[in-house]
């Protein structure tokens, strides 16, 4: 991965308390932001091993699949994450992006509107409004990547988690 204070901090948290899934999730999202795809994949596998079906593990794994060009498998993982945690902001964000990429602007709009409404970050709301406007006028990009995504001020853990969202180094 690219050099990242967020990755270093998350690795330290995992090292100090490896039993806390929220620390693993924070590390996975930080690795995604740092484009550490192999390490992020390994983190998603570790989360799955520790807590099968955990939404953050599924979303991190899906984000890696998106980077690999495996949209169908990413969609399956995101759908599974959203069944487990219907209000998972990153799951909604990326499910919307995949829907937009396949021309399902209605699905993209539905996911992004829900994510916008759930996000506590005013900057995220602006970013979602921009995505929604682009969906309306048909100017959605054909490829999505982690950089500049809504949720950039932090990646929320799954519903009910007590850990605050980690900062995204490239977008905060």
């Amino acid at each position: 991965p690219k050099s990242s204070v967020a990755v270093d901090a998350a690795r330290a948290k995992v090292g100090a308390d490896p039993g806390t899934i929220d620390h693993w999730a924070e590390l996975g999202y930080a690795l995604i932001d740092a484009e550490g795809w192999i390490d992020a994949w390994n983190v998603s596998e570790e989360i799955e091993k520790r807590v099968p079906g955990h939404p953050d593990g599924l979303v991190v794994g899906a984000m890696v699949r998106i980077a690999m060009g495996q949209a169908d498998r990413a969609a399956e993982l995101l759908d599974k994450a959203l069944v487990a945690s219907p209000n998972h902001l990153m799951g909604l964000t990326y499910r919307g992006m995949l829907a937009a990429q396949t021309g399902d602007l209605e699905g993209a709009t539905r996911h992004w509107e829900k994510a916008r409404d759930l996000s506590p970050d005013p900057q995220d709301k602006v970013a979602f409004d921009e995505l929604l406007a682009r969906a309306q006028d048909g100017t959605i990009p054909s490829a999505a990547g982690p950089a500049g995504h809504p949720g950039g001020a932090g990646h929320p853990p799954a519903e009910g988690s007590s850990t605050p969202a980690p900062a995204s180094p490239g977008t905060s």
Side-chain angles (χ1 to χ4, degrees), residues 5-167:
V5 171
V7 170
D8 294 343
R11 285 188 197 277
K13 286 181 183 179
V14 168
D17 185 9
T20 301
I21 292 299
D22 288 345
H23 296 329
W24 285 99
E26 182 178 339
L27 178 57
Y29 291 123
L31 287 163
I32 292 291
D33 285 341
E35 299 179 13
W37 306 114
I38 293 171
D39 290 347
W41 176 258
N42 290 334
V43 167
S44 74
E45 292 289 303
E46 184 65 28
I47 293 171
E48 180 65 20
K49 182 174 83 175
R50 291 171 180 267
V51 182
H54 192 281
D56 286 314
L58 295 168
V59 171
V60 170
M63 292 166 77
V64 173
R65 296 284 185 160
I66 290 169
M68 295 170 62
Q70 297 177 358
D72 289 343
R73 182 63 180 134
E76 291 171 15
L77 293 170
L78 290 167
D79 289 344
K80 189 174 176 182
L82 291 171
V83 166
S85 182
N87 293 332
H88 195 283
L89 185 58
M90 291 306 293
L92 290 164
T93 300
Y94 277 88
R95 191 60 186 97
M97 194 61 76
L98 285 175
Q101 288 178 4
T102 62
D104 178 10
L105 296 183
E106 183 178 313
T109 298
R110 184 179 63 252
H111 286 49
W112 288 336
E113 284 177 344
K114 184 173 182 179
R116 179 196 59 208
D117 292 344
L118 291 168
S119 178
D121 186 332
Q123 290 178 324
D124 281 0
K125 291 182 185 300
V126 169
F128 281 115
D129 285 341
E130 289 172 7
L131 281 174
L132 289 163
R134 291 176 76 185
Q136 289 285 332
D137 68 18
T139 60
I140 289 293
S142 62
H149 54 76
H155 303 285
E159 286 177 79
S161 175
S162 60
T163 300

